[in-house]
Amino acid sequence: KRNIAADIDQLDAIIDKFMDYARPGDVQLVPVHVSTVVDKAISQFRDTKRIRISAKLPIDTKVMADETELGRVLTNLFENARRYGRNTYTGVTNVEVSYTRSGSWVILSVRDHGPGVAPEKLHQLTTPFFRGDAARTAATGAGLGLAIVDKALQRMGGGLELANAPDGGLVAHIKLKRAP
């Protein structure tokens, strides 16, 4: 019975993810304090044996975003890091959230210290249902997390760029318009 319940829970989670992906594109863009949304998303990941997230963000930086959508973007990125960005020695995922400004844009960077992704597969990570390599395929989930992130950021007039950090790990760069 426990296995059936677990399977049902997993199917529910996959359907929720699919609904997130399929959600129509109407979002309300308003000035949003980045640090507030990041802190709220971080607070959902309290298990420090599995993931530790630190953020270095100024309190006054605002972007044009839909607060709920931006929260969902961050939660998906943290979840992705928790699953795939573990340090091979400690088994803990360390994530850093930082930011830079580039003209009228704010770029949030979410970085883990895991194995990263084969460079030729980076552009496929936002394809619905695509999963990276064998290590990633063993994980449970719908293969929709990064596709949802990409689509949500597009709806908010921003973008997503994925890259391998020079010294290991995956970095997701979230680009959003700076609020006036």
Side-chain angles (χ1 to χ4, degrees), residues 36-111:
T36 306
V37 183
V38 169
D39 288 345
K40 203 186 227 176
I42 288 173
S43 73
Q44 295 174 44
F45 294 83
R46 295 191 188 282
D47 182 2
T48 56
K49 287 187 198 80
R50 298 191 63 197
I51 185 167
R52 294 180 192 140
I53 307 169
S54 63
K56 293 186 183 77
L57 302 168
I59 272 171
D60 59 344
T61 299
K62 289 192 226 169
V63 293
M64 294 307 292
D66 178 298
E67 193 164 338
T68 306
E69 283 282 283
L70 182 54
R72 192 174 284 120
V73 160
L74 291 161
T75 303
N76 273 308
L77 288 173
F78 296 159
E79 180 60 32
N80 194 67
R82 188 179 64 76
R83 284 190 173 157
Y84 308 121
R86 276 196 296 276
N87 177 303
T88 9
Y89 302 107
T90 63
V92 177
T93 301
N94 286 299
V95 178
E96 285 107 36
V97 184
S98 58
Y99 95 113
T100 51
R101 285 185 186 170
S102 176
S104 61
W105 298 95
V106 169
I107 298 155
L108 281 180
S109 298
V110 176
R111 186 221 162 142

Side-chain angles (χ1 to χ4, degrees), residues 87-162:
N87 177 303
T88 9
Y89 302 107
T90 63
V92 177
T93 301
N94 286 299
V95 178
E96 285 107 36
V97 184
S98 58
Y99 95 113
T100 51
R101 285 185 186 170
S102 176
S104 61
W105 298 95
V106 169
I107 298 155
L108 281 180
S109 298
V110 176
R111 186 221 162 142
D112 68 44
H113 293 266
V117 175
E120 68 277 8
K121 293 193 174 149
L122 276 171
H123 71 283
Q124 292 174 281
L125 290 179
T126 54
T127 305
F129 311 113
F130 176 80
R131 291 203 188 113
D133 52 32
R136 290 183 177 242
T137 308
T140 56
L144 279 167
L146 293 175
I148 290 167
V149 165
D150 189 41
K151 197 169 177 186
L153 288 168
Q154 285 175 27
R155 279 198 294 258
M156 291 188 282
L160 172 69
E161 189 183 298
L162 298 167

